[in-house]
Amino acid sequence: MLAGPIIRWLCWYSNEEPMARSACAPPPPANRIAIIVMKSDAGPALCPFFGKCDGIWIVDTVTGATEFRANAQRTSAALCDLIVAAGLGRLICGFIGEPEKQRLCAAGIDVRLGSCVRTIQELVACFPALVAA
């Protein structure tokens, strides 16, 4: 894909330092996938409500390690802050608003939409086949 080399060239050629730095920042690691979840007795499940979810369930696809981070404020802005701060490369959600999607994509996060009837494990395993948000 030519986008990467073109962006690197534009960043090298550009005199606009702040924009060059943000466009040339290395992407977050792709092996860490976050899923917007709600907790249930059966375990975490994909939540259809972006800002109102219980938090994010992080899966490291290399080590198999998992981690939960709570969405204490229950707002879309706070959830975006949580996701960006986690240093994630990929995100699965049931729904995401346009402003939140743009913010996360600008941070280099690959945002995909999943079905709430699938398990966390199924969503992680089929990430490449999920529809881009």
Side-chain angles (χ1 to χ4, degrees):
M1 189 162 147
L2 291 176
I6 290 171
I7 289 173
R8 281 193 292 276
W9 180 82
L10 287 173
C11 291
W12 173 79
Y13 186 74
S14 173
N15 290 330
E16 298 178 19
E17 283 297 315
M19 180 149 179
R21 275 192 217 116
S22 64
C24 293
N31 64 302
R32 291 173 39 97
I33 300 175
I35 301 98
I36 306 299
V37 297
M38 56 187 172
K39 288 183 169 181
S40 70
D41 291 336
L46 182 65
C47 182
F49 309 109
F50 186 80
K52 302 297 182 194
C53 70
D54 290 331
I56 56 174
W57 187 261
I58 303 169
V59 178
D60 187 311
T61 59
V62 174
T63 66
T66 61
E67 172 187 355
F68 175 76
R69 295 193 186 182
N71 178 22
Q73 295 179 8
R74 304 273 178 149
T75 67
S76 295
L79 183 59
C80 283
D81 291 343
L82 181 68
I83 294 164
V84 171
L88 303 163
R90 301 185 280 178
L91 174 72
I92 301 170
C93 51
F95 169 82
I96 186 168
E98 189 63 29
E100 293 82 11
K101 179 181 82 169
Q102 289 179 3
R103 178 174 175 205
L104 296 176
C105 289
I109 300 169
D110 184 359
V111 181
R112 304 289 177 106
L113 299 176
S115 169
C116 293
V117 299
R118 296 181 115 177
T119 67
I120 298 296
Q121 295 80 8
E122 290 172 325
L123 291 167
V124 169
C126 70
F127 183 88
L130 296 175
V131 175

